[in-house]
Amino acid sequence: MRLPVFTDMSIRLPVRMALCALLSVACTAPQAAGPWQCHKLPNGLSECTGRTPPAEPLIPADSEAVPGVTDTVADPLSVPVPAATAVPAPVTAIPAAATTETTKAPQDSAAPVEPPATVAPAATPAAAHLIPQAEKLAQPEERETDRWALCPPAPQTPTDKSTGSSDVIDLQADSAQASDGNVFTLEGNAIALYGPQRLEAEHINYRQDENTLTAEGNIRFSAPGLIIDGEDATLYPDEEKGRLKNITYALTDVHGRGSADVLSMDGRYNQQLMQASYTTCPPDNYDWLLSAKQVDLDREEGVGTARNAKLAFKGMPILFTPYISFPIDDRRRSGLLIPKIGQTEETGMDISMPYYWNIAPDKDMIIKPRYMSDRGLMMGGEFRYLNAHNEGTLSAEYLPSDDRFNNENRSLVAIEHHGNPLPRVETRIIASNVSDDSYFEDLGTNLVKSSQSTLERTAEAAYHGSWWDLGLKVQDYQTVDPALTREDRPYKQLPQIVFDAAPQQRLLGLKFSTHAETNYFTHTVDDFIKGTRIDVQPRLSLPVQNTAWYVDPAVSLRHTTYNLDNVADGEDDNPSRTTPVVSLDAGTFFERSSRWGQTNFVQTLEPRLFYLYVPDKNQDDIPVFDTGDYDFNFWTLFRENRFSGPDRMGDANQLALALTTRFLNPDNGVQRFSASIGSLLYFRDREVTLPGEPVETDESSNIIGEITLNLARNWLAKSELQWNPHDSQTARSDQHLQYRAGPRKLVNLAYRYREGIQEQADISFLWPLSQSWHLVGRWYYSLDDKTTIEALGGLGYESCCWGAQIVGRSFINDDSDSRNNAVFFQLELKGLGKLGRKVDSALEHGILDYDASD
């Protein structure tokens, strides 16, 4: 019997098969905001909002700092990378599926990121000033860049409407034949629609009784983000099995594509590809290609395995492995990470092959064997944990018998822990230790590590009440700078207890606060003065303000007492000091509409007065444990103490005069221009000094001027100048001009001058030579020493699917003026990972505002 022929037929048939099995390759792909108050934005501009005047200076009136405990980076003009910057997840050495990036880990698991191996030292505030977890610094806003801009447009999948049902398939064709209602044969432009998926072929045959679907001739399967072409297909819906031959596929969201001789499906979650390949290069381009004889995918476990896998670049094999496993979704899996290769004068050939170990949902580890041809084999590792109440990293490195260090063993251990074991309770541990003073200079992998002078060892806990804080801290340092003598090393605090209180309730408008701390100081030199210090300072103020002005009078009483050991004969071992502090802070705010050309502005004028009176109290019998001079800048004008710690309370009878003007965009409050000028008028000499410093007798301070100018969308200028009116000369000058027109287009010009100390110039740039080539460089020069502190230059190339950078760097290694020369090379295979020692690290630390993500 002749079967009827249908034209432009559309039939709805029940089917139990999940055509998503054809998505086996795509399932592994990454998925794709009174007076003005102003604050800095991540892009360097300022935004002004609000109408409430600040009753207090932006910098705390008496922040603590430990003298001599600083990171002596050879690049004072560079801006350090924020410690809270998020790091992308490691990339495995096989498929695009393994390149899923994670910017924030969930609270019940640890994201497989690779944090620095050591903890940079810094003078930290008291434990009561710990930053709660919820108040950590936000990340700088991401710049919008298109890493696939050099690629041709990706193919687009059809936009057919979904059938909406999980067991219904729509069949369409130019013509069709049906036999007894069991066999449906579609010829010419045959299409099967299933949910968001589409199957096209010249010929589609569906046997309803056997529940078998076959397709032949120019097969194309498409779904969101995926296109598969093949010769023929046989599918068994009941058993969820099938086989497709000679397929090519495209992952449209990530510019990935590849091929396979055979795609076999054994159930919904298991697929096998024979003679498979993958690349992100455009069609007819195979600059890099990942291939394997056999790939098995287990989507239920989220793991894939490849046999006889090979990675080739420009036709040259650069990686081969007979067997490897890799993740095919965002679940973490143990495995090798991208190796790092480089060469420096300190290490020779430097090769590391990190291995990622997924221990548990809240624990993981990176094991880092590192071979240095001039030094030997180093073993290192980082263990990390992250759960609802704790997070941290334990790091260690060990190099036995360093060939260039008298065959001595060298090591590093470090811990960084943050916890919230109980509500309102926060804990922190930062501690590290190295075997010798030259460890970072010889074995550090970036500028920050190689320039550290001290390693912090701090353990602290804090309880945050509704209006009060209580903290406990113990702190020590390991000195790794040979230039620091034992006498210059900082004191240990064993322990420090801090109490702060600021009740919200006010009586007659009075604002009360208090700060109290007790410390026990000891030193590595046994006969140094040591002992206990208690410092208490209650404070009472009466802030009055409205939209046009504010007045904030305040009075406090600071009492500091000591109980000392190892004092000289005849000296007081229980010295004390009680000092009243009286201040008056007042300011007014004026604004007017202004116009410059065709641009409207709001101009503000903000005069401010700050009077401070502290009587003179002889403090020569008081030791100096953790106190130093503040760096004199604009905000120093409004501090109540010119010293950084309680060991000295500066006497004062002075008046700060300051004036600020701003030009703001009236629509959004963005600051386009600001200028400030200020100075201190002294009504008496400053008798209180640190040991060895002279009495200050000048009647006024340096005149400080600051200017920030957003010249246009791409230009930013900053200037700070301190003028000494007594000597009629410049005491300090910091100038910076930046042009930033977008990714790969950045120029920085900087000049830094300190009278009698240093004079330096810094030029850095990142500039495109063409659509694919860019040039990077830096020259950091000491004008007074006539010495190049750092020189850096490199060339970069980027295509649709890969990029490469080579950078040479020469810099002063230490105070002996010895130089270190290094060459870094990095190859990035887009969608797969980066090979080579990280060029990005050297550039981010050497070039202001360089962002590797651009």
Side-chain angles (χ1 to χ4, degrees), residues 64 124-130 460-464 468-474 493 495-501 514-519 533 535 626 646:
E64 301 248 345
T124 58
H129 298 150
L130 284 172
E460 54 188 330
Y463 181 88
H464 304 284
W468 58 275
D469 293 321
L470 178 64
L472 171 67
K473 177 170 72 173
V474 292
Q493 297 189 66
Q496 178 192 45
I497 302 174
V498 179
F499 176 78
D500 284 292
T514 187
H515 171 81
E517 69 175 73
T518 180
N519 313 67
R533 181 186 70 197
D535 180 61
D626 63 347

mmCIF file of all heavy atoms in Angstrom, residues 64 124-130 460-464 468-474 493 495-501 514-519 533 535 626 646:
data_model
loop_
_atom_site.group_PDB
_atom_site.id
_atom_site.type_symbol
_atom_site.label_atom_id
_atom_site.label_comp_id
_atom_site.label_asym_id
_atom_site.label_seq_id
_atom_site.Cartn_x
_atom_site.Cartn_y
_atom_site.Cartn_z
ATOM 1 N N GLU A 64 47.334 54.442 64.640
ATOM 2 C CA GLU A 64 48.585 53.885 65.114
ATOM 3 C C GLU A 64 49.420 53.402 63.952
ATOM 4 O O GLU A 64 48.930 52.892 62.970
ATOM 5 C CB GLU A 64 48.304 52.724 66.065
ATOM 6 C CG GLU A 64 47.477 53.126 67.279
ATOM 7 C CD GLU A 64 48.269 53.040 68.537
ATOM 8 O OE1 GLU A 64 49.325 52.430 68.511
ATOM 9 O OE2 GLU A 64 47.830 53.592 69.557
ATOM 10 N N THR A 124 49.466 46.888 61.664
ATOM 11 C CA THR A 124 48.018 46.795 61.742
ATOM 12 C C THR A 124 47.491 47.549 62.941
ATOM 13 O O THR A 124 48.161 47.689 63.952
ATOM 14 C CB THR A 124 47.589 45.328 61.858
ATOM 15 O OG1 THR A 124 48.213 44.757 63.009
ATOM 16 C CG2 THR A 124 48.004 44.537 60.634
ATOM 17 N N PRO A 125 46.272 48.061 62.869
ATOM 18 C CA PRO A 125 45.685 48.748 64.014
ATOM 19 C C PRO A 125 45.349 47.767 65.115
ATOM 20 O O PRO A 125 45.493 46.565 64.978
ATOM 21 C CB PRO A 125 44.418 49.382 63.429
ATOM 22 C CG PRO A 125 44.089 48.537 62.259
ATOM 23 C CD PRO A 125 45.395 48.051 61.718
ATOM 24 N N ALA A 126 44.868 48.305 66.215
ATOM 25 C CA ALA A 126 44.535 47.464 67.348
ATOM 26 C C ALA A 126 43.434 46.497 66.993
ATOM 27 O O ALA A 126 42.679 46.678 66.052
ATOM 28 C CB ALA A 126 44.095 48.343 68.523
ATOM 29 N N ALA A 127 43.327 45.432 67.792
ATOM 30 C CA ALA A 127 42.382 44.366 67.474
ATOM 31 C C ALA A 127 40.958 44.869 67.443
ATOM 32 O O ALA A 127 40.130 44.360 66.703
ATOM 33 C CB ALA A 127 42.526 43.232 68.490
ATOM 34 N N ALA A 128 40.654 45.866 68.254
ATOM 35 C CA ALA A 128 39.280 46.367 68.273
ATOM 36 C C ALA A 128 38.899 47.056 66.981
ATOM 37 O O ALA A 128 37.735 47.345 66.765
ATOM 38 C CB ALA A 128 39.098 47.338 69.443
ATOM 39 N N HIS A 129 39.894 47.319 66.122
ATOM 40 C CA HIS A 129 39.614 47.992 64.862
ATOM 41 C C HIS A 129 39.577 47.026 63.697
ATOM 42 O O HIS A 129 39.694 47.428 62.556
ATOM 43 C CB HIS A 129 40.677 49.066 64.596
ATOM 44 C CG HIS A 129 40.688 50.135 65.635
ATOM 45 N ND1 HIS A 129 41.819 50.823 65.991
ATOM 46 C CD2 HIS A 129 39.691 50.620 66.442
ATOM 47 C CE1 HIS A 129 41.541 51.701 66.937
ATOM 48 N NE2 HIS A 129 40.262 51.592 67.231
ATOM 49 N N LEU A 130 39.453 45.746 63.971
ATOM 50 C CA LEU A 130 39.354 44.776 62.884
ATOM 51 C C LEU A 130 38.158 45.087 62.004
ATOM 52 O O LEU A 130 37.098 45.465 62.473
ATOM 53 C CB LEU A 130 39.192 43.360 63.452
ATOM 54 C CG LEU A 130 40.458 42.714 64.030
ATOM 55 C CD1 LEU A 130 40.085 41.433 64.724
ATOM 56 C CD2 LEU A 130 41.466 42.443 62.940
ATOM 57 N N GLU A 460 44.998 38.006 66.733
ATOM 58 C CA GLU A 460 44.110 38.936 67.427
ATOM 59 C C GLU A 460 42.679 38.440 67.396
ATOM 60 O O GLU A 460 42.276 37.666 66.527
ATOM 61 C CB GLU A 460 44.212 40.338 66.830
ATOM 62 C CG GLU A 460 43.980 40.421 65.349
ATOM 63 C CD GLU A 460 44.291 41.802 64.801
ATOM 64 O OE1 GLU A 460 44.137 42.789 65.557
ATOM 65 O OE2 GLU A 460 44.690 41.905 63.642
ATOM 66 N N ALA A 461 41.942 38.904 68.392
ATOM 67 C CA ALA A 461 40.516 38.600 68.487
ATOM 68 C C ALA A 461 39.800 39.856 68.942
ATOM 69 O O ALA A 461 40.353 40.670 69.699
ATOM 70 C CB ALA A 461 40.265 37.451 69.468
ATOM 71 N N ALA A 462 38.572 40.024 68.478
ATOM 72 C CA ALA A 462 37.810 41.223 68.822
ATOM 73 C C ALA A 462 36.354 40.858 69.022
ATOM 74 O O ALA A 462 35.819 39.976 68.340
ATOM 75 C CB ALA A 462 37.948 42.278 67.722
ATOM 76 N N TYR A 463 35.746 41.558 69.976
ATOM 77 C CA TYR A 463 34.297 41.450 70.188
ATOM 78 C C TYR A 463 33.684 42.802 69.868
ATOM 79 O O TYR A 463 34.101 43.832 70.400
ATOM 80 C CB TYR A 463 33.972 41.048 71.628
ATOM 81 C CG TYR A 463 32.482 40.907 71.865
ATOM 82 C CD1 TYR A 463 31.839 39.704 71.618
ATOM 83 C CD2 TYR A 463 31.721 41.990 72.324
ATOM 84 C CE1 TYR A 463 30.474 39.571 71.814
ATOM 85 C CE2 TYR A 463 30.359 41.863 72.524
ATOM 86 C CZ TYR A 463 29.733 40.652 72.268
ATOM 87 O OH TYR A 463 28.377 40.512 72.456
ATOM 88 N N HIS A 464 32.696 42.790 68.957
ATOM 89 C CA HIS A 464 32.053 44.025 68.532
ATOM 90 C C HIS A 464 30.683 44.136 69.189
ATOM 91 O O HIS A 464 29.755 43.407 68.821
ATOM 92 C CB HIS A 464 31.906 44.046 67.006
ATOM 93 C CG HIS A 464 33.201 43.868 66.276
ATOM 94 N ND1 HIS A 464 34.126 44.886 66.159
ATOM 95 C CD2 HIS A 464 33.743 42.801 65.643
ATOM 96 C CE1 HIS A 464 35.170 44.455 65.475
ATOM 97 N NE2 HIS A 464 34.960 43.190 65.156
ATOM 98 N N TRP A 468 30.368 49.404 71.509
ATOM 99 C CA TRP A 468 31.716 49.293 72.042
ATOM 100 C C TRP A 468 32.417 48.094 71.408
ATOM 101 O O TRP A 468 31.788 47.169 70.880
ATOM 102 C CB TRP A 468 31.712 49.150 73.569
ATOM 103 C CG TRP A 468 30.912 47.958 74.072
ATOM 104 C CD1 TRP A 468 29.587 47.924 74.301
ATOM 105 C CD2 TRP A 468 31.420 46.657 74.361
ATOM 106 N NE1 TRP A 468 29.199 46.667 74.741
ATOM 107 C CE2 TRP A 468 30.319 45.865 74.775
ATOM 108 C CE3 TRP A 468 32.690 46.069 74.317
ATOM 109 C CZ2 TRP A 468 30.456 44.537 75.151
ATOM 110 C CZ3 TRP A 468 32.821 44.737 74.685
ATOM 111 C CH2 TRP A 468 31.716 43.992 75.102
ATOM 112 N N ASP A 469 33.754 48.144 71.426
ATOM 113 C CA ASP A 469 34.596 47.076 70.882
ATOM 114 C C ASP A 469 35.672 46.728 71.894
ATOM 115 O O ASP A 469 36.221 47.613 72.567
ATOM 116 C CB ASP A 469 35.271 47.501 69.573
ATOM 117 C CG ASP A 469 34.275 47.707 68.454
ATOM 118 O OD1 ASP A 469 33.315 46.924 68.364
ATOM 119 O OD2 ASP A 469 34.455 48.664 67.673
ATOM 120 N N LEU A 470 35.993 45.455 71.984
ATOM 121 C CA LEU A 470 37.074 44.986 72.842
ATOM 122 C C LEU A 470 37.960 44.058 72.037
ATOM 123 O O LEU A 470 37.454 43.115 71.397
ATOM 124 C CB LEU A 470 36.519 44.248 74.066
ATOM 125 C CG LEU A 470 37.562 43.670 75.036
ATOM 126 C CD1 LEU A 470 38.388 44.797 75.671
ATOM 127 C CD2 LEU A 470 36.890 42.816 76.102
ATOM 128 N N GLY A 471 39.271 44.325 72.021
ATOM 129 C CA GLY A 471 40.177 43.530 71.215
ATOM 130 C C GLY A 471 41.410 43.093 71.977
ATOM 131 O O GLY A 471 41.880 43.767 72.895
ATOM 132 N N LEU A 472 41.934 41.951 71.574
ATOM 133 C CA LEU A 472 43.164 41.395 72.152
ATOM 134 C C LEU A 472 44.096 41.037 71.010
ATOM 135 O O LEU A 472 43.682 40.391 70.035
ATOM 136 C CB LEU A 472 42.850 40.154 72.987
ATOM 137 C CG LEU A 472 44.064 39.345 73.477
ATOM 138 C CD1 LEU A 472 44.872 40.148 74.497
ATOM 139 C CD2 LEU A 472 43.603 38.020 74.083
ATOM 140 N N LYS A 473 45.380 41.443 71.113
ATOM 141 C CA LYS A 473 46.334 41.168 70.046
ATOM 142 C C LYS A 473 47.703 40.869 70.613
ATOM 143 O O LYS A 473 48.142 41.485 71.580
ATOM 144 C CB LYS A 473 46.421 42.369 69.092
ATOM 145 C CG LYS A 473 47.453 42.196 67.978
ATOM 146 C CD LYS A 473 47.347 43.283 66.927
ATOM 147 C CE LYS A 473 47.840 44.612 67.426
ATOM 148 N NZ LYS A 473 47.874 45.622 66.332
ATOM 149 N N VAL A 474 48.378 39.912 69.994
ATOM 150 C CA VAL A 474 49.803 39.685 70.223
ATOM 151 C C VAL A 474 50.487 39.863 68.874
ATOM 152 O O VAL A 474 49.971 39.431 67.834
ATOM 153 C CB VAL A 474 50.079 38.293 70.821
ATOM 154 C CG1 VAL A 474 49.532 38.202 72.235
ATOM 155 C CG2 VAL A 474 49.485 37.184 69.953
ATOM 156 N N GLN A 493 54.620 43.111 70.883
ATOM 157 C CA GLN A 493 53.502 43.419 71.778
ATOM 158 C C GLN A 493 52.911 42.106 72.271
ATOM 159 O O GLN A 493 52.275 41.387 71.507
ATOM 160 C CB GLN A 493 52.436 44.241 71.061
ATOM 161 C CG GLN A 493 52.925 45.595 70.604
ATOM 162 C CD GLN A 493 51.808 46.465 70.099
ATOM 163 O OE1 GLN A 493 50.926 46.874 70.859
ATOM 164 N NE2 GLN A 493 51.818 46.762 68.820
ATOM 165 N N PRO A 495 50.777 41.111 75.495
ATOM 166 C CA PRO A 495 49.851 41.362 74.387
ATOM 167 C C PRO A 495 49.521 42.854 74.302
ATOM 168 O O PRO A 495 50.105 43.692 74.984
ATOM 169 C CB PRO A 495 48.626 40.589 74.829
ATOM 170 C CG PRO A 495 48.591 40.832 76.319
ATOM 171 C CD PRO A 495 50.047 40.932 76.757
ATOM 172 N N GLN A 496 48.473 43.149 73.514
ATOM 173 C CA GLN A 496 47.834 44.456 73.470
ATOM 174 C C GLN A 496 46.336 44.247 73.659
ATOM 175 O O GLN A 496 45.737 43.398 72.992
ATOM 176 C CB GLN A 496 48.066 45.161 72.124
ATOM 177 C CG GLN A 496 47.367 46.514 72.020
ATOM 178 C CD GLN A 496 47.371 47.065 70.601
ATOM 179 O OE1 GLN A 496 47.103 46.341 69.662
ATOM 180 N NE2 GLN A 496 47.685 48.343 70.464
ATOM 181 N N ILE A 497 45.742 45.004 74.590
ATOM 182 C CA ILE A 497 44.294 44.943 74.829
ATOM 183 C C ILE A 497 43.724 46.338 74.575
ATOM 184 O O ILE A 497 44.231 47.320 75.108
ATOM 185 C CB ILE A 497 43.979 44.491 76.272
ATOM 186 C CG1 ILE A 497 44.596 43.115 76.539
ATOM 187 C CG2 ILE A 497 42.475 44.444 76.507
ATOM 188 C CD1 ILE A 497 44.459 42.664 77.983
ATOM 189 N N VAL A 498 42.693 46.391 73.741
ATOM 190 C CA VAL A 498 42.143 47.673 73.316
ATOM 191 C C VAL A 498 40.648 47.703 73.582
ATOM 192 O O VAL A 498 39.937 46.723 73.326
ATOM 193 C CB VAL A 498 42.404 47.926 71.816
ATOM 194 C CG1 VAL A 498 41.797 49.248 71.379
ATOM 195 C CG2 VAL A 498 43.898 47.906 71.532
ATOM 196 N N PHE A 499 40.174 48.854 74.087
ATOM 197 C CA PHE A 499 38.741 49.056 74.331
ATOM 198 C C PHE A 499 38.332 50.387 73.720
ATOM 199 O O PHE A 499 38.978 51.416 73.958
ATOM 200 C CB PHE A 499 38.421 49.038 75.827
ATOM 201 C CG PHE A 499 36.979 49.342 76.137
ATOM 202 C CD1 PHE A 499 36.007 48.377 75.984
ATOM 203 C CD2 PHE A 499 36.604 50.612 76.575
ATOM 204 C CE1 PHE A 499 34.673 48.652 76.261
ATOM 205 C CE2 PHE A 499 35.281 50.894 76.858
ATOM 206 C CZ PHE A 499 34.315 49.913 76.700
ATOM 207 N N ASP A 500 37.284 50.374 72.906
ATOM 208 C CA ASP A 500 36.721 51.586 72.326
ATOM 209 C C ASP A 500 35.232 51.613 72.605
ATOM 210 O O ASP A 500 34.556 50.576 72.508
ATOM 211 C CB ASP A 500 36.949 51.634 70.806
ATOM 212 C CG ASP A 500 38.364 52.006 70.448
ATOM 213 O OD1 ASP A 500 38.755 53.158 70.694
ATOM 214 O OD2 ASP A 500 39.100 51.132 69.929
ATOM 215 N N ALA A 501 34.719 52.815 72.897
ATOM 216 C CA ALA A 501 33.286 52.955 73.164
ATOM 217 C C ALA A 501 32.811 54.288 72.615
ATOM 218 O O ALA A 501 33.503 55.303 72.719
ATOM 219 C CB ALA A 501 32.980 52.860 74.655
ATOM 220 N N THR A 514 35.479 57.041 74.016
ATOM 221 C CA THR A 514 36.698 56.777 74.768
ATOM 222 C C THR A 514 37.522 55.722 74.065
ATOM 223 O O THR A 514 36.976 54.849 73.370
ATOM 224 C CB THR A 514 36.384 56.318 76.199
ATOM 225 O OG1 THR A 514 37.617 56.233 76.953
ATOM 226 C CG2 THR A 514 35.719 54.955 76.202
ATOM 227 N N HIS A 515 38.835 55.839 74.230
ATOM 228 C CA HIS A 515 39.767 54.840 73.722
ATOM 229 C C HIS A 515 40.714 54.475 74.850
ATOM 230 O O HIS A 515 41.265 55.359 75.526
ATOM 231 C CB HIS A 515 40.558 55.383 72.528
ATOM 232 C CG HIS A 515 41.675 54.486 72.089
ATOM 233 N ND1 HIS A 515 41.483 53.396 71.284
ATOM 234 C CD2 HIS A 515 43.010 54.506 72.364
ATOM 235 C CE1 HIS A 515 42.628 52.783 71.068
ATOM 236 N NE2 HIS A 515 43.583 53.441 71.712
ATOM 237 N N ALA A 516 40.919 53.195 75.060
ATOM 238 C CA ALA A 516 41.819 52.727 76.106
ATOM 239 C C ALA A 516 42.552 51.506 75.605
ATOM 240 O O ALA A 516 41.986 50.665 74.895
ATOM 241 C CB ALA A 516 41.039 52.403 77.383
ATOM 242 N N GLU A 517 43.826 51.410 75.955
ATOM 243 C CA GLU A 517 44.594 50.225 75.589
ATOM 244 C C GLU A 517 45.697 49.990 76.606
ATOM 245 O O GLU A 517 46.193 50.916 77.258
ATOM 246 C CB GLU A 517 45.194 50.360 74.186
ATOM 247 C CG GLU A 517 46.293 51.399 74.042
ATOM 248 C CD GLU A 517 46.917 51.374 72.661
ATOM 249 O OE1 GLU A 517 46.261 51.821 71.704
ATOM 250 O OE2 GLU A 517 48.076 50.905 72.540
ATOM 251 N N THR A 518 46.066 48.738 76.738
ATOM 252 C CA THR A 518 47.203 48.354 77.560
ATOM 253 C C THR A 518 48.083 47.424 76.752
ATOM 254 O O THR A 518 47.577 46.559 76.016
ATOM 255 C CB THR A 518 46.753 47.678 78.870
ATOM 256 O OG1 THR A 518 47.909 47.322 79.646
ATOM 257 C CG2 THR A 518 45.919 46.448 78.606
ATOM 258 N N ASN A 519 49.399 47.617 76.842
ATOM 259 C CA ASN A 519 50.357 46.842 76.060
ATOM 260 C C ASN A 519 51.493 46.377 76.953
ATOM 261 O O ASN A 519 51.877 47.070 77.903
ATOM 262 C CB ASN A 519 50.972 47.676 74.926
ATOM 263 C CG ASN A 519 49.949 48.463 74.134
ATOM 264 O OD1 ASN A 519 49.333 49.385 74.650
ATOM 265 N ND2 ASN A 519 49.778 48.118 72.870
ATOM 266 N N ARG A 533 52.461 49.417 79.241
ATOM 267 C CA ARG A 533 51.945 50.771 79.011
ATOM 268 C C ARG A 533 50.431 50.733 79.046
ATOM 269 O O ARG A 533 49.811 49.854 78.434
ATOM 270 C CB ARG A 533 52.416 51.302 77.663
ATOM 271 C CG ARG A 533 51.924 52.729 77.362
ATOM 272 C CD ARG A 533 52.292 53.145 75.947
ATOM 273 N NE ARG A 533 51.509 52.410 74.945
ATOM 274 C CZ ARG A 533 51.835 52.337 73.654
ATOM 275 N NH1 ARG A 533 52.936 52.930 73.216
ATOM 276 N NH2 ARG A 533 51.074 51.658 72.816
ATOM 277 N N ASP A 535 47.172 53.313 78.294
ATOM 278 C CA ASP A 535 46.814 54.593 77.693
ATOM 279 C C ASP A 535 45.297 54.706 77.662
ATOM 280 O O ASP A 535 44.608 53.818 77.139
ATOM 281 C CB ASP A 535 47.389 54.684 76.277
ATOM 282 C CG ASP A 535 47.055 56.008 75.598
ATOM 283 O OD1 ASP A 535 47.476 57.053 76.123
ATOM 284 O OD2 ASP A 535 46.376 55.974 74.552
ATOM 285 N N ASP A 626 56.371 52.232 70.087
ATOM 286 C CA ASP A 626 55.740 52.055 68.770
ATOM 287 C C ASP A 626 55.282 53.387 68.186
ATOM 288 O O ASP A 626 54.282 53.449 67.496
ATOM 289 C CB ASP A 626 54.558 51.096 68.868
ATOM 290 C CG ASP A 626 53.441 51.625 69.758
ATOM 291 O OD1 ASP A 626 53.671 52.609 70.485
ATOM 292 O OD2 ASP A 626 52.331 51.050 69.724
ATOM 293 N N PRO A 646 51.013 56.434 71.353
ATOM 294 C CA PRO A 646 50.814 57.070 72.667
ATOM 295 C C PRO A 646 52.089 57.472 73.391
ATOM 296 O O PRO A 646 52.022 58.171 74.404
ATOM 297 C CB PRO A 646 50.075 55.987 73.473
ATOM 298 C CG PRO A 646 49.566 55.014 72.467
ATOM 299 C CD PRO A 646 50.540 55.049 71.342
#
